[in-house]
Structure formats: structure tokens, C-alpha cells
Amino acid sequence: MRAARLIKMVLLLQSRSSMTGAELARELEVSERTVARDAVALSEAGVPVYADRGRTGGYRLIGGYRTRLTGLARGEAEALFLSGLPGALREMGLQDAASAARLKVSAALLPSLRDASASAAQRFHLDAPGWYQEPETPELLPAVAEAVWDDRLLRARYRRGDGYSAEAERELAPYGLVLKAGVWYLCARAEGGTGSFRVYRIDRFSSAEPAEERFERDGEFDLPAFWAERAAQFARSILRAEAVLRLTEAGARRLPYATDRAAAEEALAAADGPDEQGRVTLTLPVESLEVALSQLLSLGPEAEVLEPPELRERFAAAARGMAALYGPGRP
């Protein structure tokens, strides 16, 4: 523990011209007294740490000292590529590796470039969770992430999302993790790496334990391409109903923002040209009549539902209710 802290202190001082005791204590998560003792220990070990006394003083390296401890370990290098995702790193238990990697890179840079990481952090931030929801980190995510990084088989118990199926035991070859709108998914090969590739929600694992055995990764597996294909399949699979709409020009523009974007764009592309009133009639795949009602009501008078009759009647009932609330004579 102390050896790692001393190395981190040297890297911090190498990446900056000087640091106060309070700054070092904050970075190292220790007291200023511990910082002072560590500086003495480094000096006795031959590292030229110099302490400037007084209110404006601090610690610095003298004589152009450069440590040779800037080589990245494999875990640090892998974590570095995720360093723009601080929340995801924390949830997977990789924040310490990423911190060490960033320090080593910063220490190896020329002095004129050492503010690059801070400059980038002030210009780009990824906030993965969606709006209006409180993201929850799956308790078993670090164990699953460990198996993914090490190419180790994962023995797990999984429950399906229908609420009726019993938990099933699985031996999975975990290929990759995906964070989608605040929800973590595992892309894995079933049956210990001999079955098909599937997607599992990590918050539905009731147990997950990396095994000692490792699996042979399929070199042709492409995680981004696999996820894009499965996501498109899922989006199509939930569109089990259809609605025939007549849209104004404004309604046609707003339709992709009110419902499934891909389905809306395909329906608009397949529609015939506008009629004499400038309206377009199209058939839109929808998840259900209830979902279609909630989504398409946002278009207001820019959309008229023609079919199915039960959906048109629901829109008519909603229109009558709105007219009763806002019609003449209402206060």
C-alpha cells in the first residue's frame, strides 16, 4: 500500500512543477503529516524531493529527475481507453487503474502538454444514463467485469424479464459489456462458449462468479457490430401493431421524435406523396395501441389516426376530454 502511494507521489510531482502538502494529501487521500513522512522516505531512497517552507511553499522534484516507472501495466492501459467514462469505471471497479494510467501518461509528457488531460476533461463529458431515472449499479457488475477482462468463464444464475420463468443456471463465455441508457448488459456466448451469442441484463443476475477456467475468444467477434445488430432486432421485435396515420407537413417532421425513429423514417420513406391538402398517409409500426396513444397524442392536430378503429376511438375520446376541459364556458 505505501509503496504504491510513494510511486503515485513521485508521478504527481513529475507531472507538475510543484504541489503543496494539502494538494498532495488530497490526491493521495492521506494526511499532510503522512505526505511529509513520505517525502522524507523518498529523499532517503535517492529521489530528490525538495520541500519549500512557508505559506507559498510545497514539494517539487529537483535536478530534472525523471522516474522510469511510467510503463503502463495491461490493466492500466485497458482502463485508460475508458477514462472518459468515470461513472462506468467506478461501477466496474477500475477507477484506481485508470487513475494510475493517467498519472503515468501525464508524467511521460512534455511539460507543455501536461495540461492535456485537464483540457480534454473540461471540453468533453459523457453522461450515459437517460433523463428522469435514477441509475442503479448492479451489485454483481464488478465480478462480471472481472470475468470479461480476464476471458474467464462465468457461472451465473439468471432470471428472465417476464416475471414468470424460474431462475436458470448458466455457464457463459463473457465477451463484452455494454452500458445503454444507464443499464448494463453482458454480451456472452452460452453453454460455456460453445453456444450462441446472447445478451443478458446484469441486474437480472442473482449470482455471478468468475471460474478458474478461461475460454478461447472468437477473434472475429465484433462487439459494436454485434450490439448494433441485436439492438436493431430488439427495436423491430417490440413493434407488434400498426397504425395508419394522416399527417400534416409539420406532423411528418415531428413523427421521428414522437415514436421509434427508425420505424418512423421507414414509414415516411414508403409513403406516397402528399394529397391535395398537403397531408401524407402512412402505415406506422407501433409497440401497442396504448404506447401509440401516448406517443402520437404529442402530435396534436398534426396527426389523424385512420386505423385501427379502436385506436381512432381512443383518440376521439381523448379529444372530447380535452374539449371538455378547454372548451367555451370553462373558467
Side-chain angles (χ1 to χ4, degrees):
M1 177 71 74
R2 190 188 186 199
R5 189 176 71 242
L6 292 174
I7 292 172
K8 187 173 182 178
M9 183 174 176
V10 173
L11 292 172
L12 284 167
L13 293 174
Q14 184 172 312
S15 63
R16 308 178 194 182
S17 58
S18 68
M19 295 182 69
T20 66
E23 289 172 338
L24 283 168
R26 186 169 54 251
E27 290 279 357
L28 300 172
E29 298 180 350
V30 296
S31 67
E32 291 187 48
R33 182 172 295 181
T34 299
V35 169
R37 287 198 297 264
D38 286 349
V40 172
L42 286 171
S43 182
E44 292 175 349
V47 178
V49 177
Y50 181 78
D52 291 315
R53 305 298 179 185
R55 293 180 59 186
T56 60
Y59 297 88
R60 59 188 175 88
L61 295 174
I62 61 175
Y65 180 83
R66 305 287 295 177
T67 178
R68 297 182 180 275
L69 299 174
T70 52
L72 292 177
R74 180 176 181 84
E76 294 168 347
E78 290 169 337
L80 185 61
F81 287 102
L82 297 171
S83 59
L85 306 171
L89 282 167
R90 183 174 57 256
E91 292 174 8
M92 289 189 291
L94 296 173
Q95 66 271 31
D96 290 339
S99 176
R102 285 193 295 268
L103 277 173
K104 289 182 177 182
V105 169
S106 180
L109 292 174
L110 293 172
S112 60
L113 299 177
R114 285 178 187 160
D115 65 341
S117 60
S119 176
Q122 292 302 318
R123 287 165 173 79
F124 176 77
H125 175 70
L126 178 62
D127 184 7
W131 291 103
Y132 313 119
Q133 63 180 11
E134 187 67 29
E136 295 184 4
T137 302
E139 182 179 349
L140 297 172
L141 176 59
V144 176
E146 177 186 347
V148 170
W149 285 117
D150 292 344
D151 290 344
R152 292 165 63 185
L153 292 174
L154 186 71
R155 296 191 176 95
R157 293 183 63 85
Y158 187 79
R159 62 183 182 278
R160 294 181 58 183
D162 53 22
Y164 300 100
S165 302
E167 287 186 349
E169 292 188 0
R170 297 280 189 268
E171 184 177 64
L172 305 172
Y175 271 68
L177 292 168
V178 174
L179 177 59
K180 170 70 171 179
V183 179
W184 284 95
Y185 297 87
L186 173 68
C187 302
R189 200 166 190 176
E191 300 168 12
T194 60
S196 59
F197 286 99
R198 299 179 184 178
V199 176
Y200 302 86
R201 277 185 63 141
I202 294 181
D203 58 7
R204 292 182 184 159
F205 285 117
S206 61
S207 67
E209 183 178 356
E212 293 297 327
E213 309 96 280
R214 285 179 164 80
F215 64 92
E216 188 70 28
R217 179 176 286 266
D218 183 351
E220 297 183 358
F221 178 77
D222 184 329
L223 178 60
F226 171 78
W227 177 258
E229 179 183 354
R230 288 304 174 92
Q233 288 177 359
F234 174 76
R236 289 193 297 268
S237 71
I238 64 174
L239 302 178
R240 300 186 180 94
E242 289 184 341
V244 180
L245 309 177
R246 188 164 176 256
L247 302 170
T248 65
E249 183 179 351
R253 285 197 308 269
R254 290 164 51 188
L255 183 64
Y257 303 97
T259 184
D260 181 85
R261 188 179 189 91
E265 290 176 346
E266 289 178 7
L268 287 166
D272 293 331
D275 58 20
E276 62 276 6
Q277 295 179 325
R279 294 175 177 257
V280 174
T281 300
L282 54 81
T283 300
L284 177 72
V286 295
E287 185 174 343
S288 66
L289 298 188
E290 291 78 10
V291 172
L293 177 67
S294 65
Q295 292 177 336
L296 298 175
L297 274 175
S298 66
L299 299 180
E302 309 301 330
E304 178 188 1
V305 174
L306 303 179
E307 297 179 14
E310 56 267 38
L311 181 60
R312 182 178 175 87
E313 177 52 36
R314 292 188 189 187
F315 270 81
R320 289 192 294 270
M322 294 288 285
L325 283 176
Y326 297 102
R330 293 290 296 177

mmCIF file of all heavy atoms in Angstrom, residues 44-89:
data_model
loop_
_atom_site.group_PDB
_atom_site.id
_atom_site.type_symbol
_atom_site.label_atom_id
_atom_site.label_comp_id
_atom_site.label_asym_id
_atom_site.label_seq_id
_atom_site.Cartn_x
_atom_site.Cartn_y
_atom_site.Cartn_z
ATOM 1 N N GLU A 44 15.347 9.798 1.265
ATOM 2 C CA GLU A 44 16.319 8.814 1.765
ATOM 3 C C GLU A 44 16.562 7.706 0.754
ATOM 4 O O GLU A 44 17.633 7.084 0.743
ATOM 5 C CB GLU A 44 15.820 8.232 3.085
ATOM 6 C CG GLU A 44 15.815 9.243 4.230
ATOM 7 C CD GLU A 44 15.206 8.665 5.497
ATOM 8 O OE1 GLU A 44 14.603 7.567 5.411
ATOM 9 O OE2 GLU A 44 15.317 9.306 6.564
ATOM 10 N N ALA A 45 15.554 7.442 -0.119
ATOM 11 C CA ALA A 45 15.712 6.397 -1.135
ATOM 12 C C ALA A 45 16.400 6.922 -2.386
ATOM 13 O O ALA A 45 16.587 6.167 -3.353
ATOM 14 C CB ALA A 45 14.347 5.829 -1.497
ATOM 15 N N GLY A 46 16.782 8.211 -2.402
ATOM 16 C CA GLY A 46 17.503 8.762 -3.539
ATOM 17 C C GLY A 46 16.674 9.552 -4.515
ATOM 18 O O GLY A 46 17.184 10.025 -5.535
ATOM 19 N N VAL A 47 15.388 9.706 -4.224
ATOM 20 C CA VAL A 47 14.536 10.521 -5.089
ATOM 21 C C VAL A 47 14.640 11.967 -4.603
ATOM 22 O O VAL A 47 14.300 12.261 -3.453
ATOM 23 C CB VAL A 47 13.071 10.045 -5.043
ATOM 24 C CG1 VAL A 47 12.186 10.935 -5.920
ATOM 25 C CG2 VAL A 47 12.966 8.586 -5.488
ATOM 26 N N PRO A 48 15.091 12.900 -5.451
ATOM 27 C CA PRO A 48 15.355 14.266 -4.987
ATOM 28 C C PRO A 48 14.089 15.097 -4.797
ATOM 29 O O PRO A 48 13.766 15.989 -5.586
ATOM 30 C CB PRO A 48 16.239 14.839 -6.098
ATOM 31 C CG PRO A 48 15.811 14.118 -7.330
ATOM 32 C CD PRO A 48 15.458 12.729 -6.883
ATOM 33 N N VAL A 49 13.347 14.810 -3.731
ATOM 34 C CA VAL A 49 12.162 15.597 -3.386
ATOM 35 C C VAL A 49 12.611 16.764 -2.514
ATOM 36 O O VAL A 49 13.270 16.568 -1.489
ATOM 37 C CB VAL A 49 11.126 14.730 -2.625
ATOM 38 C CG1 VAL A 49 9.926 15.589 -2.220
ATOM 39 C CG2 VAL A 49 10.677 13.565 -3.487
ATOM 40 N N TYR A 50 12.256 17.964 -2.922
ATOM 41 C CA TYR A 50 12.658 19.162 -2.184
ATOM 42 C C TYR A 50 11.415 19.828 -1.621
ATOM 43 O O TYR A 50 10.406 19.998 -2.323
ATOM 44 C CB TYR A 50 13.409 20.135 -3.096
ATOM 45 C CG TYR A 50 13.882 21.379 -2.390
ATOM 46 C CD1 TYR A 50 15.015 21.366 -1.572
ATOM 47 C CD2 TYR A 50 13.176 22.579 -2.533
ATOM 48 C CE1 TYR A 50 15.431 22.513 -0.915
ATOM 49 C CE2 TYR A 50 13.596 23.725 -1.884
ATOM 50 C CZ TYR A 50 14.725 23.683 -1.080
ATOM 51 O OH TYR A 50 15.131 24.829 -0.423
ATOM 52 N N ALA A 51 11.463 20.202 -0.345
ATOM 53 C CA ALA A 51 10.333 20.856 0.309
ATOM 54 C C ALA A 51 10.637 22.332 0.500
ATOM 55 O O ALA A 51 11.623 22.692 1.145
ATOM 56 C CB ALA A 51 10.051 20.195 1.653
ATOM 57 N N ASP A 52 9.811 23.188 -0.084
ATOM 58 C CA ASP A 52 9.898 24.635 0.133
ATOM 59 C C ASP A 52 9.041 24.982 1.342
ATOM 60 O O ASP A 52 7.849 24.637 1.393
ATOM 61 C CB ASP A 52 9.386 25.403 -1.089
ATOM 62 C CG ASP A 52 10.316 25.247 -2.274
ATOM 63 O OD1 ASP A 52 11.536 25.355 -2.077
ATOM 64 O OD2 ASP A 52 9.815 24.998 -3.391
ATOM 65 N N ARG A 53 9.619 25.647 2.304
ATOM 66 C CA ARG A 53 8.893 26.007 3.521
ATOM 67 C C ARG A 53 8.096 27.286 3.315
ATOM 68 O O ARG A 53 8.318 28.025 2.367
ATOM 69 C CB ARG A 53 9.884 26.182 4.692
ATOM 70 C CG ARG A 53 10.778 24.969 4.934
ATOM 71 C CD ARG A 53 9.981 23.739 5.297
ATOM 72 N NE ARG A 53 10.830 22.573 5.505
ATOM 73 C CZ ARG A 53 10.359 21.358 5.745
ATOM 74 N NH1 ARG A 53 9.059 21.159 5.819
ATOM 75 N NH2 ARG A 53 11.201 20.346 5.914
ATOM 76 N N GLY A 54 7.185 27.545 4.226
ATOM 77 C CA GLY A 54 6.423 28.785 4.194
ATOM 78 C C GLY A 54 5.031 28.610 3.604
ATOM 79 O O GLY A 54 4.661 27.540 3.105
ATOM 80 N N ARG A 55 4.257 29.710 3.657
ATOM 81 C CA ARG A 55 2.869 29.640 3.208
ATOM 82 C C ARG A 55 2.745 29.324 1.729
ATOM 83 O O ARG A 55 1.789 28.708 1.296
ATOM 84 C CB ARG A 55 2.179 30.980 3.498
ATOM 85 C CG ARG A 55 2.021 31.270 4.990
ATOM 86 C CD ARG A 55 1.336 32.599 5.199
ATOM 87 N NE ARG A 55 0.015 32.617 4.563
ATOM 88 C CZ ARG A 55 -0.760 33.697 4.485
ATOM 89 N NH1 ARG A 55 -0.310 34.859 4.970
ATOM 90 N NH2 ARG A 55 -1.941 33.648 3.925
ATOM 91 N N THR A 56 3.684 29.765 0.912
ATOM 92 C CA THR A 56 3.627 29.528 -0.525
ATOM 93 C C THR A 56 4.500 28.349 -0.936
ATOM 94 O O THR A 56 4.744 28.147 -2.122
ATOM 95 C CB THR A 56 4.063 30.785 -1.292
ATOM 96 O OG1 THR A 56 5.415 31.107 -0.918
ATOM 97 C CG2 THR A 56 3.138 31.949 -0.977
ATOM 98 N N GLY A 57 4.975 27.610 0.029
ATOM 99 C CA GLY A 57 5.881 26.501 -0.280
ATOM 100 C C GLY A 57 5.143 25.266 -0.770
ATOM 101 O O GLY A 57 3.939 25.267 -0.997
ATOM 102 N N GLY A 58 5.905 24.213 -0.921
ATOM 103 C CA GLY A 58 5.335 22.956 -1.396
ATOM 104 C C GLY A 58 6.442 21.960 -1.679
ATOM 105 O O GLY A 58 7.580 22.103 -1.208
ATOM 106 N N TYR A 59 6.134 20.953 -2.456
ATOM 107 C CA TYR A 59 7.086 19.898 -2.789
ATOM 108 C C TYR A 59 7.323 19.893 -4.292
ATOM 109 O O TYR A 59 6.422 20.122 -5.089
ATOM 110 C CB TYR A 59 6.531 18.529 -2.361
ATOM 111 C CG TYR A 59 6.335 18.400 -0.866
ATOM 112 C CD1 TYR A 59 5.144 18.794 -0.264
ATOM 113 C CD2 TYR A 59 7.334 17.872 -0.054
ATOM 114 C CE1 TYR A 59 4.948 18.683 1.106
ATOM 115 C CE2 TYR A 59 7.155 17.747 1.318
ATOM 116 C CZ TYR A 59 5.962 18.157 1.881
ATOM 117 O OH TYR A 59 5.779 18.041 3.237
ATOM 118 N N ARG A 60 8.572 19.598 -4.653
ATOM 119 C CA ARG A 60 8.923 19.502 -6.072
ATOM 120 C C ARG A 60 10.118 18.586 -6.234
ATOM 121 O O ARG A 60 10.857 18.309 -5.276
ATOM 122 C CB ARG A 60 9.230 20.888 -6.650
ATOM 123 C CG ARG A 60 10.360 21.625 -5.969
ATOM 124 C CD ARG A 60 10.463 23.057 -6.490
ATOM 125 N NE ARG A 60 11.469 23.836 -5.773
ATOM 126 C CZ ARG A 60 12.762 23.890 -6.112
ATOM 127 N NH1 ARG A 60 13.192 23.208 -7.176
ATOM 128 N NH2 ARG A 60 13.621 24.622 -5.413
ATOM 129 N N LEU A 61 10.313 18.118 -7.469
ATOM 130 C CA LEU A 61 11.489 17.322 -7.804
ATOM 131 C C LEU A 61 12.552 18.259 -8.368
ATOM 132 O O LEU A 61 12.240 19.174 -9.128
ATOM 133 C CB LEU A 61 11.135 16.247 -8.835
ATOM 134 C CG LEU A 61 10.150 15.163 -8.382
ATOM 135 C CD1 LEU A 61 9.795 14.254 -9.549
ATOM 136 C CD2 LEU A 61 10.723 14.342 -7.239
ATOM 137 N N ILE A 62 13.787 18.040 -8.017
ATOM 138 C CA ILE A 62 14.868 18.912 -8.494
ATOM 139 C C ILE A 62 15.821 18.127 -9.384
ATOM 140 O O ILE A 62 15.815 16.897 -9.405
ATOM 141 C CB ILE A 62 15.637 19.534 -7.309
ATOM 142 C CG1 ILE A 62 16.288 18.437 -6.446
ATOM 143 C CG2 ILE A 62 14.727 20.406 -6.475
ATOM 144 C CD1 ILE A 62 17.160 18.992 -5.340
ATOM 145 N N GLY A 63 16.625 18.887 -10.116
ATOM 146 C CA GLY A 63 17.665 18.271 -10.946
ATOM 147 C C GLY A 63 17.141 17.556 -12.174
ATOM 148 O O GLY A 63 17.802 16.675 -12.719
ATOM 149 N N GLY A 64 15.946 17.923 -12.642
ATOM 150 C CA GLY A 64 15.401 17.274 -13.838
ATOM 151 C C GLY A 64 15.136 15.797 -13.648
ATOM 152 O O GLY A 64 15.218 15.016 -14.605
ATOM 153 N N TYR A 65 14.825 15.399 -12.427
ATOM 154 C CA TYR A 65 14.624 13.971 -12.131
ATOM 155 C C TYR A 65 13.454 13.416 -12.926
ATOM 156 O O TYR A 65 12.394 14.018 -13.017
ATOM 157 C CB TYR A 65 14.357 13.781 -10.642
ATOM 158 C CG TYR A 65 14.139 12.339 -10.256
ATOM 159 C CD1 TYR A 65 15.207 11.486 -10.019
ATOM 160 C CD2 TYR A 65 12.851 11.834 -10.131
ATOM 161 C CE1 TYR A 65 15.002 10.164 -9.674
ATOM 162 C CE2 TYR A 65 12.632 10.509 -9.784
ATOM 163 C CZ TYR A 65 13.714 9.675 -9.554
ATOM 164 O OH TYR A 65 13.506 8.361 -9.215
ATOM 165 N N ARG A 66 13.645 12.239 -13.530
ATOM 166 C CA ARG A 66 12.603 11.535 -14.274
ATOM 167 C C ARG A 66 12.559 10.096 -13.793
ATOM 168 O O ARG A 66 13.561 9.393 -13.804
ATOM 169 C CB ARG A 66 12.880 11.538 -15.776
ATOM 170 C CG ARG A 66 13.090 12.906 -16.389
ATOM 171 C CD ARG A 66 11.806 13.683 -16.483
ATOM 172 N NE ARG A 66 10.861 13.055 -17.405
ATOM 173 C CZ ARG A 66 9.642 13.518 -17.614
ATOM 174 N NH1 ARG A 66 9.215 14.571 -16.941
ATOM 175 N NH2 ARG A 66 8.846 12.923 -18.467
ATOM 176 N N THR A 67 11.390 9.650 -13.362
ATOM 177 C CA THR A 67 11.259 8.268 -12.945
ATOM 178 C C THR A 67 11.129 7.351 -14.153
ATOM 179 O O THR A 67 10.656 7.767 -15.209
ATOM 180 C CB THR A 67 10.018 8.078 -12.048
ATOM 181 O OG1 THR A 67 9.913 6.707 -11.711
ATOM 182 C CG2 THR A 67 8.740 8.502 -12.752
ATOM 183 N N ARG A 68 11.545 6.120 -13.994
ATOM 184 C CA ARG A 68 11.386 5.122 -15.049
ATOM 185 C C ARG A 68 10.160 4.245 -14.798
ATOM 186 O O ARG A 68 9.992 3.203 -15.415
ATOM 187 C CB ARG A 68 12.641 4.240 -15.129
ATOM 188 C CG ARG A 68 13.900 5.003 -15.506
ATOM 189 C CD ARG A 68 15.104 4.070 -15.607
ATOM 190 N NE ARG A 68 16.305 4.798 -15.959
ATOM 191 C CZ ARG A 68 16.674 5.092 -17.193
ATOM 192 N NH1 ARG A 68 15.908 4.714 -18.205
ATOM 193 N NH2 ARG A 68 17.792 5.756 -17.439
ATOM 194 N N LEU A 69 9.303 4.676 -13.883
ATOM 195 C CA LEU A 69 8.146 3.868 -13.516
ATOM 196 C C LEU A 69 6.901 4.280 -14.283
ATOM 197 O O LEU A 69 5.794 4.179 -13.798
ATOM 198 C CB LEU A 69 7.878 4.012 -12.009
ATOM 199 C CG LEU A 69 9.009 3.548 -11.102
ATOM 200 C CD1 LEU A 69 8.688 3.883 -9.655
ATOM 201 C CD2 LEU A 69 9.225 2.045 -11.254
ATOM 202 N N THR A 70 7.085 4.737 -15.516
ATOM 203 C CA THR A 70 5.945 5.218 -16.283
ATOM 204 C C THR A 70 5.404 4.174 -17.242
ATOM 205 O O THR A 70 4.487 4.450 -18.011
ATOM 206 C CB THR A 70 6.331 6.469 -17.087
ATOM 207 O OG1 THR A 70 7.512 6.188 -17.847
ATOM 208 C CG2 THR A 70 6.583 7.632 -16.167
ATOM 209 N N GLY A 71 5.941 2.971 -17.254
ATOM 210 C CA GLY A 71 5.405 1.930 -18.116
ATOM 211 C C GLY A 71 4.029 1.500 -17.652
ATOM 212 O O GLY A 71 3.795 1.295 -16.474
ATOM 213 N N LEU A 72 3.073 1.369 -18.589
ATOM 214 C CA LEU A 72 1.715 1.012 -18.233
ATOM 215 C C LEU A 72 1.575 -0.500 -18.081
ATOM 216 O O LEU A 72 2.019 -1.264 -18.926
ATOM 217 C CB LEU A 72 0.739 1.479 -19.324
ATOM 218 C CG LEU A 72 0.542 2.979 -19.487
ATOM 219 C CD1 LEU A 72 -0.400 3.245 -20.644
ATOM 220 C CD2 LEU A 72 0.010 3.602 -18.228
ATOM 221 N N ALA A 73 0.925 -0.920 -16.993
ATOM 222 C CA ALA A 73 0.522 -2.304 -16.866
ATOM 223 C C ALA A 73 -0.665 -2.536 -17.793
ATOM 224 O O ALA A 73 -1.343 -1.605 -18.223
ATOM 225 C CB ALA A 73 0.136 -2.619 -15.425
ATOM 226 N N ARG A 74 -0.943 -3.821 -18.089
ATOM 227 C CA ARG A 74 -2.008 -4.117 -19.041
ATOM 228 C C ARG A 74 -3.354 -3.566 -18.564
ATOM 229 O O ARG A 74 -4.097 -2.941 -19.329
ATOM 230 C CB ARG A 74 -2.120 -5.630 -19.261
ATOM 231 C CG ARG A 74 -3.221 -6.007 -20.245
ATOM 232 C CD ARG A 74 -3.266 -7.504 -20.522
ATOM 233 N NE ARG A 74 -4.319 -7.796 -21.473
ATOM 234 C CZ ARG A 74 -4.185 -7.696 -22.793
ATOM 235 N NH1 ARG A 74 -3.039 -7.295 -23.301
ATOM 236 N NH2 ARG A 74 -5.180 -7.982 -23.599
ATOM 237 N N GLY A 75 -3.673 -3.788 -17.290
ATOM 238 C CA GLY A 75 -4.940 -3.298 -16.766
ATOM 239 C C GLY A 75 -5.046 -1.792 -16.822
ATOM 240 O O GLY A 75 -6.117 -1.236 -17.100
ATOM 241 N N GLU A 76 -3.928 -1.096 -16.570
ATOM 242 C CA GLU A 76 -3.930 0.355 -16.630
ATOM 243 C C GLU A 76 -4.140 0.840 -18.058
ATOM 244 O O GLU A 76 -4.872 1.799 -18.305
ATOM 245 C CB GLU A 76 -2.620 0.901 -16.076
ATOM 246 C CG GLU A 76 -2.438 0.625 -14.591
ATOM 247 C CD GLU A 76 -1.034 0.911 -14.108
ATOM 248 O OE1 GLU A 76 -0.129 1.079 -14.962
ATOM 249 O OE2 GLU A 76 -0.833 0.961 -12.884
ATOM 250 N N ALA A 77 -3.489 0.168 -19.018
ATOM 251 C CA ALA A 77 -3.637 0.565 -20.417
ATOM 252 C C ALA A 77 -5.076 0.363 -20.888
ATOM 253 O O ALA A 77 -5.646 1.197 -21.595
ATOM 254 C CB ALA A 77 -2.684 -0.244 -21.300
ATOM 255 N N GLU A 78 -5.697 -0.761 -20.492
ATOM 256 C CA GLU A 78 -7.078 -1.012 -20.878
ATOM 257 C C GLU A 78 -8.005 0.010 -20.246
ATOM 258 O O GLU A 78 -8.923 0.525 -20.882
ATOM 259 C CB GLU A 78 -7.479 -2.429 -20.471
ATOM 260 C CG GLU A 78 -6.781 -3.502 -21.298
ATOM 261 C CD GLU A 78 -6.977 -4.894 -20.731
ATOM 262 O OE1 GLU A 78 -7.252 -5.020 -19.517
ATOM 263 O OE2 GLU A 78 -6.846 -5.859 -21.498
ATOM 264 N N ALA A 79 -7.762 0.327 -18.981
ATOM 265 C CA ALA A 79 -8.612 1.299 -18.294
ATOM 266 C C ALA A 79 -8.460 2.690 -18.884
ATOM 267 O O ALA A 79 -9.401 3.488 -18.875
ATOM 268 C CB ALA A 79 -8.284 1.327 -16.806
ATOM 269 N N LEU A 80 -7.265 2.995 -19.427
ATOM 270 C CA LEU A 80 -7.026 4.324 -19.979
ATOM 271 C C LEU A 80 -7.973 4.616 -21.131
ATOM 272 O O LEU A 80 -8.427 5.739 -21.316
ATOM 273 C CB LEU A 80 -5.575 4.447 -20.449
ATOM 274 C CG LEU A 80 -5.136 5.825 -20.952
ATOM 275 C CD1 LEU A 80 -5.276 6.856 -19.847
ATOM 276 C CD2 LEU A 80 -3.712 5.773 -21.450
ATOM 277 N N PHE A 81 -8.288 3.587 -21.927
ATOM 278 C CA PHE A 81 -9.180 3.789 -23.053
ATOM 279 C C PHE A 81 -10.619 4.062 -22.615
ATOM 280 O O PHE A 81 -11.441 4.485 -23.410
ATOM 281 C CB PHE A 81 -9.148 2.572 -23.983
ATOM 282 C CG PHE A 81 -7.885 2.483 -24.783
ATOM 283 C CD1 PHE A 81 -6.887 1.599 -24.419
ATOM 284 C CD2 PHE A 81 -7.684 3.289 -25.885
ATOM 285 C CE1 PHE A 81 -5.711 1.519 -25.142
ATOM 286 C CE2 PHE A 81 -6.507 3.209 -26.623
ATOM 287 C CZ PHE A 81 -5.517 2.322 -26.251
ATOM 288 N N LEU A 82 -10.924 3.804 -21.344
ATOM 289 C CA LEU A 82 -12.247 4.085 -20.811
ATOM 290 C C LEU A 82 -12.252 5.300 -19.902
ATOM 291 O O LEU A 82 -13.242 5.562 -19.230
ATOM 292 C CB LEU A 82 -12.755 2.873 -20.013
ATOM 293 C CG LEU A 82 -12.952 1.579 -20.790
ATOM 294 C CD1 LEU A 82 -13.237 0.444 -19.826
ATOM 295 C CD2 LEU A 82 -14.081 1.717 -21.789
ATOM 296 N N SER A 83 -11.168 6.049 -19.869
ATOM 297 C CA SER A 83 -11.034 7.118 -18.876
ATOM 298 C C SER A 83 -12.018 8.250 -19.100
ATOM 299 O O SER A 83 -12.203 9.080 -18.226
ATOM 300 C CB SER A 83 -9.602 7.663 -18.869
ATOM 301 O OG SER A 83 -9.256 8.172 -20.142
ATOM 302 N N GLY A 84 -12.666 8.318 -20.260
ATOM 303 C CA GLY A 84 -13.705 9.304 -20.475
ATOM 304 C C GLY A 84 -15.040 8.902 -19.891
ATOM 305 O O GLY A 84 -16.014 9.621 -20.030
ATOM 306 N N LEU A 85 -15.093 7.738 -19.250
ATOM 307 C CA LEU A 85 -16.330 7.235 -18.664
ATOM 308 C C LEU A 85 -16.140 7.041 -17.174
ATOM 309 O O LEU A 85 -16.094 5.915 -16.683
ATOM 310 C CB LEU A 85 -16.717 5.900 -19.313
ATOM 311 C CG LEU A 85 -16.824 5.876 -20.835
ATOM 312 C CD1 LEU A 85 -16.999 4.456 -21.326
ATOM 313 C CD2 LEU A 85 -17.994 6.730 -21.294
ATOM 314 N N PRO A 86 -15.989 8.113 -16.403
ATOM 315 C CA PRO A 86 -15.672 7.961 -14.981
ATOM 316 C C PRO A 86 -16.704 7.159 -14.216
ATOM 317 O O PRO A 86 -16.371 6.356 -13.346
ATOM 318 C CB PRO A 86 -15.586 9.411 -14.483
ATOM 319 C CG PRO A 86 -16.337 10.216 -15.491
ATOM 320 C CD PRO A 86 -16.134 9.523 -16.798
ATOM 321 N N GLY A 87 -17.998 7.360 -14.535
ATOM 322 C CA GLY A 87 -19.022 6.609 -13.834
ATOM 323 C C GLY A 87 -18.928 5.127 -14.124
ATOM 324 O O GLY A 87 -19.038 4.286 -13.227
ATOM 325 N N ALA A 88 -18.728 4.777 -15.398
ATOM 326 C CA ALA A 88 -18.622 3.368 -15.775
ATOM 327 C C ALA A 88 -17.389 2.724 -15.152
ATOM 328 O O ALA A 88 -17.433 1.578 -14.699
ATOM 329 C CB ALA A 88 -18.576 3.247 -17.302
ATOM 330 N N LEU A 89 -16.269 3.450 -15.120
ATOM 331 C CA LEU A 89 -15.058 2.927 -14.487
ATOM 332 C C LEU A 89 -15.291 2.629 -13.020
ATOM 333 O O LEU A 89 -14.891 1.582 -12.505
ATOM 334 C CB LEU A 89 -13.916 3.940 -14.634
ATOM 335 C CG LEU A 89 -13.230 3.997 -15.988
ATOM 336 C CD1 LEU A 89 -12.358 5.235 -16.068
ATOM 337 C CD2 LEU A 89 -12.398 2.760 -16.221
#
